[in-house]
């Protein structure tokens, strides 16, 4: 079995994530403005992972999907990430890792999930329990056109609607593939009939589940570089499918698409995982590079590199914590901390609050790792300056 060191796996993860020099990532390093080239750059990043996770929190001046793109694509207009989902764009919104934007070519792959979600994953069969609401909603959308979430309130003869019920019904109809998210404006969803959003040549295709499972596992591995089976499954929230996943991985191995590969950890363990042959070759080349230590970049706490916290601990020796749901006195680092990547190490984290009216990006706290790696302080300053400039804000002096 092939074996990687932690440093090799870490650098490979960053290369596949688009966080090293473009010559190693195969992704653009810049996507200036908000025009066609910038959109193409955003789509390239999205295709690499297979998804771009959405999150509502914007306290740091951009939402997570915006921070992910700004951290990789220099010169991108900070407003563009909020405008990506529009009619005619090659992406759609659905349940991927969480609620995500995904490349349109993956729409047939998620036929199994649309069938599975004929009952809502959280609320059960709210459509079956509220058929009148569902029928009226579909008639309204058919006759009046797309409806935003805020448009779901009853009016006139529809005053019997309960807003919370209507939103749940719309969400189930979207999850099951009757409706689609047409676009987002000010992060507000706009629901439409799915046949008016998804191109017919894509809508009419369904990838069989065994093939879909292999597609998703291989796409996840392409984004991670090296990964254990659990990480690959968690990338797409594939639950209670241990046998099916094992079969799919073995078939991919027999096809030569992946190969078993162990990770030799610092404490002497060998973690069993998977890697694509081309990424094994890339990992060997990355051993010779010298990632720069004097430039830093801020990452979203929901970055594809960061959401698997045990993996982050193994590869970076960094405790990635999310303290949004903790009472303020119990927080160690802050409400919405953005880790700082310098070279191939996570060296610090910032808790930030943007003030658009005053044009300032306020630093609520900064925590360097202990011990701070060489160049960490300069990297944190560079990362903050880069992020603030991308947002057209001035960083506070703290």
């Amino acid at each position: 079995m092939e074996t990687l060191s932690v440093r090799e796996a870490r650098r490979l993860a960053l290369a596949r994530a688009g966080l090293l020099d473009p010559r190693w990532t195969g992704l653009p390093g810049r996507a200036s403005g908000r025009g066609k080239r910038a959109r193409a750059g955003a789509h390239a990043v999205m295709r690499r992972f297979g998804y771009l996770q959405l999150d509502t929190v914007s306290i740091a001046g951009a939402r997570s999907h915006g921070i992910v793109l700004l951290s990789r694509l220099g010169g991108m207009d900070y407003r563009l990430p909020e405008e990506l989902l529009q009619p005619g764009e090659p992406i759609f919104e659905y349940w991927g890792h969480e609620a995500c934007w995904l490349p349109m070519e993956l729409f047939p792959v998620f036929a199994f999930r649309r069938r599975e979600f004929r009952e809502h994953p959280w609320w059960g069969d709210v459509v079956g329990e509220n058929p009148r609401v569902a029928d009226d909603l579909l008639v309204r959308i058919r006759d009046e056109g797309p409806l935003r979430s805020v448009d779901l309130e009853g009016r006139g003869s529809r005053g019997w609607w309960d807003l919370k019920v209507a939103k749940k019904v719309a969400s189930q109809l979207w999850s099951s593939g009757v409706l689609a998210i047409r676009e987002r404006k000010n992060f507000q969803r706009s629901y439409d009939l799915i046949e008016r959003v998804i191109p017919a040549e894509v809508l009419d295709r369904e990838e069989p589940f065994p093939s879909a499972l292999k597609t998703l596992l291989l796409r996840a591995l392409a984004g991670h570089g090296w990964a254990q089976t659990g990480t690959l499954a968690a990338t797409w929230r594939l639950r209670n499918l241990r046998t099916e996943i094992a079969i799919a991985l073995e078939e991919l191995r027999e096809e030569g698409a992946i190969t078993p590969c162990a990770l030799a950890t610092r404490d002497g363990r060998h973690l069993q995982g998977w890697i694509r042959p081309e990424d094994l070759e890339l990992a060997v080349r990355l051993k010779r590079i010298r990632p720069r230590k004097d430039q830093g970049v801020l990452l979203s706490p929901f970055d594809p590199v960061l959401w698997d916290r045990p993996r982050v601990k193994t590869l970076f020796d960094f405790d990635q914590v999310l303290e949004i749901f903790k009472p303020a006195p119990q927080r160690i680092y802050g409400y919405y901390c953005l880790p700082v990547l310098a070279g191939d190490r996570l060296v610090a984290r910032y808790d930030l609050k943007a003030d658009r009216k005053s044009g300032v990006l306020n630093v609520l706290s900064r925590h360097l790792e202990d011990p701070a790696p060489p160049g960490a302080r300069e990297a944190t300053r560079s990362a903050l300056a880069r992020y603030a400039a991308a947002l057209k804000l001035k960083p506070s002096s703290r």
Side-chain angles (χ1 to χ4, degrees):
M1 181 180 293
E2 302 287 350
T3 302
L4 293 182
S5 68
V6 168
R7 185 174 72 169
E8 290 169 338
R10 180 175 64 244
R11 290 184 174 183
L12 178 61
L14 294 174
R16 295 306 300 165
L19 289 167
L20 292 182
D21 188 285
R23 62 182 168 153
W24 302 112
T25 68
L27 292 172
R30 293 190 61 80
S32 300
R34 60 201 287 200
K36 290 183 178 180
R37 291 186 66 180
R39 286 180 176 274
H43 295 154
V45 172
M46 206 178 307
R47 283 194 301 273
R48 171 61 58 85
F49 301 124
Y51 67 92
L52 184 60
Q53 181 179 345
L54 304 176
D55 187 73
T56 60
V57 178
S58 60
I59 191 171
R63 295 183 176 90
S64 177
H65 52 286
I67 299 172
V68 169
L69 295 176
L70 292 172
S71 66
R72 291 156 170 83
L73 300 170
M76 172 177 282
D77 190 304
Y78 72 91
R79 295 167 293 182
L80 176 61
E82 298 298 321
E83 304 168 352
L84 285 174
L85 187 68
Q86 294 184 10
E89 292 294 326
I91 61 175
F92 70 104
E93 183 169 329
Y94 194 58
W95 299 108
H97 177 68
E98 297 290 349
C100 298
W101 290 338
L102 303 113
M104 189 65 75
E105 65 262 24
L106 290 183
F107 184 85
V109 173
F110 282 97
F112 76 94
R113 182 157 289 167
R114 291 189 291 275
R115 289 191 297 269
E116 179 185 342
F117 284 1
R118 285 171 183 164
E119 290 194 4
H120 196 277
W122 301 334
W123 305 314
D125 189 13
V126 291
V127 169
E129 296 167 2
N130 300 274
R132 185 180 175 193
V133 176
D135 291 344
D136 198 15
L137 176 61
L138 292 173
V139 169
R140 281 190 66 185
I141 293 176
R142 184 195 67 199
D143 295 345
E144 300 174 21
L147 290 178
R148 299 174 300 164
S149 295
V150 295
D151 295 327
L152 296 178
E153 298 182 58
R155 64 179 189 270
S157 62
R158 303 184 182 92
W160 49 266
W161 263 8
D162 180 298
L163 178 57
K164 291 182 179 179
V165 170
K167 284 187 174 181
K168 289 180 179 179
V169 167
S171 183
Q172 183 179 341
L173 291 171
W174 164 61
S175 299
S176 61
V178 177
L179 296 178
I181 309 300
R182 183 175 184 85
E183 60 185 337
R184 279 186 182 260
K185 290 184 178 179
N186 299 320
F187 210 59
Q188 276 282 330
R189 285 173 169 174
S190 178
Y191 291 101
D192 202 352
L193 301 178
I194 195 167
E195 60 267 24
R196 299 202 297 222
V197 177
I198 305 299
E201 63 272 17
V202 178
L203 183 61
D204 293 340
R205 291 171 45 215
E206 287 193 7
E207 189 163 345
F209 177 67
S211 173
L213 189 55
K214 289 165 64 175
T215 296
L216 291 177
L217 293 170
L218 193 57
R219 183 66 68 101
L221 191 57
H224 291 300
W226 172 92
Q228 294 182 278
T229 300
T231 297
L232 299 180
T235 301
W236 304 109
R237 301 303 191 221
L238 299 168
R239 299 182 177 93
N240 302 317
L241 294 169
R242 179 174 296 183
T243 299
E244 293 87 345
I245 289 172
I247 292 171
L249 290 171
E250 179 58 23
E251 289 181 357
L252 288 169
R253 186 196 66 78
E254 291 174 353
E255 294 165 7
I258 65 175
T259 188
C261 182
L263 178 70
T265 66
R266 300 177 187 88
D267 58 4
R269 293 177 298 153
H270 280 69
L271 304 180
Q272 304 306 312
W274 302 92
I275 195 169
R276 302 185 309 161
E278 58 266 41
D279 288 336
L280 189 59
E281 296 174 6
L282 176 59
V284 172
R285 297 201 302 272
L286 290 172
K287 287 193 295 187
R288 305 186 185 96
I289 72 170
R290 284 178 155 299
R292 295 184 60 175
K293 301 290 194 300
D294 61 338
Q295 292 184 343
V297 60
L298 288 174
L299 301 182
S300 162
F302 299 107
D303 194 283
V305 169
L306 297 178
W307 58 256
D308 189 334
R309 295 171 195 174
R311 174 182 165 90
V312 173
K313 182 64 176 177
T314 298
L315 296 186
F316 294 92
D317 196 22
F318 184 87
D319 291 314
Q320 170 59 9
V321 297
L322 187 65
E323 300 182 288
I324 290 176
F325 303 109
K326 288 184 179 180
Q330 297 179 19
R331 294 176 192 144
I332 300 173
Y333 302 110
Y335 175 73
Y336 192 80
C337 282
L338 280 64
V340 178
L341 176 70
D344 65 350
R345 302 306 301 265
L346 295 169
V347 300
R349 61 195 95 203
Y350 276 110
D351 190 23
L352 305 173
K353 185 175 183 180
D355 186 341
R356 281 276 165 206
K357 289 185 178 180
S358 64
V360 174
L361 181 63
N362 293 296
V363 178
L364 304 182
S365 69
R366 183 190 72 170
H367 291 86
L368 292 168
E369 287 295 279
D370 184 19
R377 295 181 184 276
E378 186 176 353
T380 59
R381 289 192 290 267
S382 172
L384 180 65
R386 171 179 169 170
Y387 180 66
L391 296 178
K392 308 299 184 189
L393 297 173
K394 182 179 179 180
S396 66
S397 57
R398 179 174 174 178

